[in-house]
Amino acid sequence: DYESVLAGSNFSQANFNSANLTKTKMVGVIAKSANFMNANLTHSDLTQSNFREANFAKAKLPRAKAQIDRMHGFQADFTAANFSGADLTKARLTGTFKNVSFRNASLRDAILQSRPTPKQQKMWLNADFTNADLTGADIGGRGSLRGSGKQVHDDVMQQAKFCRTKMPDGTV
């Protein structure tokens, strides 16, 4: 059950700084360059939304989800979004993560995946995981959002930056 529904709306450049958006259904939202800094999006649904260049710095997103539209293949777009210092514990997100910053973010037990298309193969290009905590996470899988174990898949390893990152198995 959701506490609020903002589905299908355009919030480009909107300011949600420190907003409580817990259990909000934001399916199909356009929020390009929106500011979600310090916002609480715990248990929110971000499915098929456009968050290009959105600022999620220090936001709370535990158990947030963004599922793929299995019929059409649509997924969320997080291109160039800033998740620096954000809490994505147990989040389940499918989307495009090119040029995304996860610096100092907590992705403990999270599942982040992309579904490449023939036109878009580099879904993780320049993603930055510097100082991020990926303990128990599954990053880059293409299966279900149940995940396939604690790992960072090869496509992510080849495209993204890892520096002082705590990897899924706990090593740095």
Side-chain angles (χ1 to χ4, degrees):
D1 291 333
Y2 293 99
E3 293 179 5
S4 57
V5 177
L6 303 174
S9 301
N10 188 335
F11 294 109
S12 293
Q13 300 181 343
N15 187 358
F16 292 100
N17 188 359
S18 301
N20 184 359
L21 299 169
T22 302
K23 294 185 178 178
T24 299
K25 187 170 187 173
M26 298 181 79
V27 175
V29 164
I30 298 170
K32 294 178 185 176
S33 302
N35 182 15
F36 293 94
M37 183 178 218
N38 295 307
N40 188 346
L41 292 134
T42 302
H43 286 282
S44 291
D45 188 348
L46 312 175
T47 298
Q48 300 173 30
S49 293
N50 185 333
F51 293 104
R52 279 180 170 260
E53 300 178 358
N55 183 11
F56 291 95
K58 298 182 182 176
K60 295 176 182 74
L61 295 112
R63 298 189 184 273
K65 69 179 180 179
Q67 299 173 323
I68 192 165
D69 174 333
R70 295 199 185 279
M71 183 179 290
H72 303 100
F74 300 133
Q75 58 189 356
D77 186 354
F78 296 104
T79 301
N82 178 15
F83 287 96
S84 295
D87 180 1
L88 291 132
T89 303
K90 296 186 178 181
R92 304 288 184 260
L93 305 178
T94 300
T96 303
F97 297 96
K98 285 192 272 188
N99 300 309
V100 171
S101 175
F102 291 105
R103 289 174 155 270
N104 302 302
S106 175
L107 293 107
R108 295 178 68 87
D109 300 311
I111 300 172
L112 273 60
Q113 64 182 11
S114 289
R115 292 285 176 93
T117 66
K119 292 181 182 177
Q120 285 188 315
Q121 290 294 313
K122 300 201 177 220
M123 309 297 272
W124 295 92
L125 189 65
N126 299 322
D128 186 353
F129 291 94
T130 300
N131 288 322
D133 183 355
L134 307 181
T135 304
D138 185 352
I139 309 295
R142 294 185 183 141
S144 71
L145 285 175
R146 289 187 298 267
S148 56
K150 302 174 183 180
Q151 61 185 312
V152 176
H153 296 262
D154 288 344
D155 56 340
V156 181
M157 290 297 287
Q158 294 166 4
Q159 298 174 42
K161 177 182 178 182
F162 297 89
C163 183
R164 296 180 306 279
T165 304
K166 191 172 196 179
M167 299 304 280
D169 64 1
T171 61
V172 177

